[in-house]
Amino acid sequence: QLTSNQKRPQNQLARQPRPQAQRHNTMDFFTLILLILGVIAGVVMKNYRDGVYDSNAQTSNKPKNVSTTLRVFDNGENESVIVVPKQLHYVIVGTGGKTIKEIQDKTGAKIQVPKDDSSKDEIVIRGSSSSISQAIQSIQSLVKSKEDEREREYQKMSDSFERDSKGRDEIYKKYSTQIDSLAKSRSSLYQKSEEEFNAGRKEKAKDLQKEAKDASNKMEELQKKASEELFSYSNSKLKDKTSIDLHGLHVETALEQMQKRIDQLKLDGSKNLTVIYGAGNHSEMGQAKIKPSVRDLLSSKGYHFQDINSGSILVEL
C-alpha cells in the first residue's frame, strides 16, 4: 500500500503518443458512423413527415376488428378482401340489403358478402382502385360506428351495475342470512345424527339425518330463488332479449340462463346475442369465474363470438 509521500509508478506505454496512421484510421471510422447515422435520421424524419410513422393517422378512424388485402389481376381488375367478423356483416348489408346497395351505388364498387349460412368473415370488393378505396372506407366507418355504439352501451350497463350494486347487496343479504342459518342447522343435525348412531339409537339418528337433508333441500331452493331474483334484477333494464346480463350469478346458474336464452333466440330467428359477464372485478380474490366458463362452453359447442370489451361478447347464433 502506498503512503501519501510515495508516488504511483507511471505507465510509460500510456504516455507514448499514438502513431499518426492509427489516429487517422480511428477518425475515419467515427466519421463513417456519423454519416450513416445522419442518413438514417434523415430517412426517419422524412417518413415521419410523410405520415409513415403517424400511427394515429393510420388507425384512429379504423375499427378494431377489420383488416384488408388488395389483389390486382392481369386483366387490370382490382379486388380487395376485407375481413369483418361475421357477427357484424348485418351492419354492412342493412335491412333488406339497403345499406350495401347504397354503398355500391355511391362508390361504383361491387361488394360480395358471404351468405348467412357461411362462417366466412371475408367480404370481397371489386372495381377500380378508387371505388374499392371508397367502399372500404364506408364499410370501416359502419363497423367502427357499431363498435363505438356497443362500447357506449356496455359503459352505460357498467355504470348502471355500479349504481345498482346496493340493490344486489340487499338481495344477497336477504337470502344469505337464511341460507347461513340453514347451513349451521344442517351441520348440527348431521353431528347429532352421528352421535345418536354411535350410541346405538339408530332410529333417532335416521330421523336427524332426514331433518339435515330437508335443510339441504331448503338451502338449494333459496339459492335458486336468490339467483332468479338477481337475474331478473340485472336484466330488467336491458332493452331486449338479444342481451343477457349474468352479473352476480353462480357459474352453473349463469350457464343455464345463457343456454336458455340462446335456445329461445334461435327459435325466434335472432342472429346474435350479447352476453355480459363483467370483468370479474367483483369476484372473490378478483378472479373472474363466469367469464372463462361462458367462453369455454360457447367454444365447446362451436359458437363463434367476438369480444366487445373486457366484460362482454357478441355471440353468433
Side-chain angles (χ1 to χ4, degrees):
Q1 184 176 358
L2 298 175
T3 66
S4 59
N5 294 326
Q6 290 178 304
K7 292 185 178 180
R8 195 177 298 274
Q10 297 288 336
N11 187 337
Q12 297 300 324
L13 291 175
R15 295 172 59 85
Q16 292 178 2
R18 292 182 182 178
Q20 188 72 15
Q22 185 179 350
R23 288 204 302 273
H24 281 308
N25 290 339
T26 303
M27 290 176 63
D28 290 344
F29 174 75
F30 282 111
T31 301
L32 179 61
I33 292 296
L34 289 172
L35 285 171
I36 293 172
L37 290 175
V39 171
I40 293 173
V43 172
V44 171
M45 290 303 296
K46 181 180 183 303
N47 287 335
Y48 182 82
R49 287 193 299 270
D50 293 343
V52 174
Y53 294 103
D54 188 358
S55 59
N56 291 329
Q58 296 289 322
T59 62
S60 60
N61 294 321
K62 290 184 179 180
K64 295 182 244 182
N65 299 295
V66 173
S67 62
T68 59
T69 303
L70 179 64
R71 295 196 292 251
V72 181
F73 297 96
D74 294 337
N75 61 3
E77 183 181 15
N78 297 308
E79 178 183 284
S80 184
V81 177
I82 180 169
V83 178
V84 178
K86 177 70 176 177
Q87 300 92 328
L88 293 173
H89 285 190
Y90 76 96
V91 178
I92 300 163
V93 175
T95 305
K98 179 181 178 182
T99 304
I100 194 171
K101 185 177 184 303
E102 289 176 351
I103 297 174
Q104 292 181 133
D105 291 344
K106 179 182 177 182
T107 64
K110 295 180 181 179
I111 304 172
Q112 182 179 344
V113 178
K115 296 181 179 179
D116 289 343
D117 58 358
S118 172
S119 61
K120 292 183 178 180
D121 292 333
E122 298 85 0
I123 294 174
V124 180
I125 307 173
R126 294 187 179 90
S128 66
S129 298
S130 176
S131 64
I132 288 177
S133 177
Q134 292 178 52
I136 289 175
Q137 289 178 9
S138 297
I139 290 172
Q140 288 178 334
S141 178
L142 285 170
V143 175
K144 181 74 163 58
S145 177
K146 177 56 67 173
E147 287 179 345
D148 290 345
E149 178 186 336
R150 285 183 177 151
E151 184 65 34
R152 288 192 297 269
E153 287 180 358
Y154 175 75
Q155 191 58 50
K156 288 180 182 179
M157 292 175 188
S158 296
D159 293 342
S160 176
F161 174 76
E162 294 298 332
R163 289 194 300 269
D164 293 343
S165 61
K166 290 184 179 180
R168 295 172 188 271
D169 288 342
E170 290 176 2
I171 296 174
Y172 276 123
K173 288 176 182 177
K174 180 174 72 173
Y175 287 99
S176 63
T177 301
Q178 300 176 62
I179 292 171
D180 288 345
S181 176
L182 285 168
K184 291 177 181 178
S185 175
R186 179 185 62 177
S187 178
S188 176
L189 288 166
Y190 274 127
Q191 184 177 352
K192 290 178 180 178
S193 174
E194 186 177 354
E195 292 172 355
E196 291 294 329
F197 184 84
N198 292 335
R201 294 185 286 271
K202 295 183 179 180
E203 285 299 321
K204 180 63 175 177
K206 187 176 180 180
D207 291 340
L208 290 169
Q209 196 172 54
K210 183 178 180 302
E211 290 182 40
K213 288 181 179 179
D214 289 341
S216 292
N217 292 335
K218 288 180 181 178
M219 285 174 61
E220 290 178 4
E221 289 175 6
L222 284 173
Q223 287 170 343
K224 183 178 180 181
K225 192 174 180 181
S227 293
E228 290 173 352
E229 190 168 332
L230 279 169
F231 179 74
S232 176
Y233 183 86
S234 299
N235 289 269
S236 60
K237 297 181 181 180
L238 296 181
K239 60 182 181 180
D240 56 41
K241 297 295 183 181
T242 59
S243 296
I244 185 170
D245 190 343
L246 305 177
H247 273 114
L249 301 179
H250 290 291
V251 172
E252 184 179 346
T253 304
L255 297 180
E256 288 177 358
Q257 292 288 1
M258 181 181 70
Q259 189 61 60
K260 285 180 182 178
R261 183 63 60 84
I262 288 174
D263 294 341
Q264 178 185 348
L265 291 176
K266 288 174 76 173
L267 288 174
D268 295 341
S270 298
K271 301 292 184 183
N272 303 291
L273 170 65
T274 299
V275 179
I276 306 163
Y277 41 56
N281 297 328
H282 298 273
S283 300
E284 186 178 353
M285 303 296 291
Q287 296 293 322
K289 294 180 180 178
I290 297 178
K291 178 177 179 177
S293 299
V294 164
R295 298 173 76 94
D296 288 346
L297 178 63
L298 291 171
S299 297
S300 69
K301 296 199 171 187
Y303 288 106
H304 297 281
F305 55 87
Q306 168 203 344
D307 288 313
I308 297 175
N309 43 51
S310 61
S312 64
I313 54 175
L314 181 68
V315 184
E316 179 187 349
L317 304 180

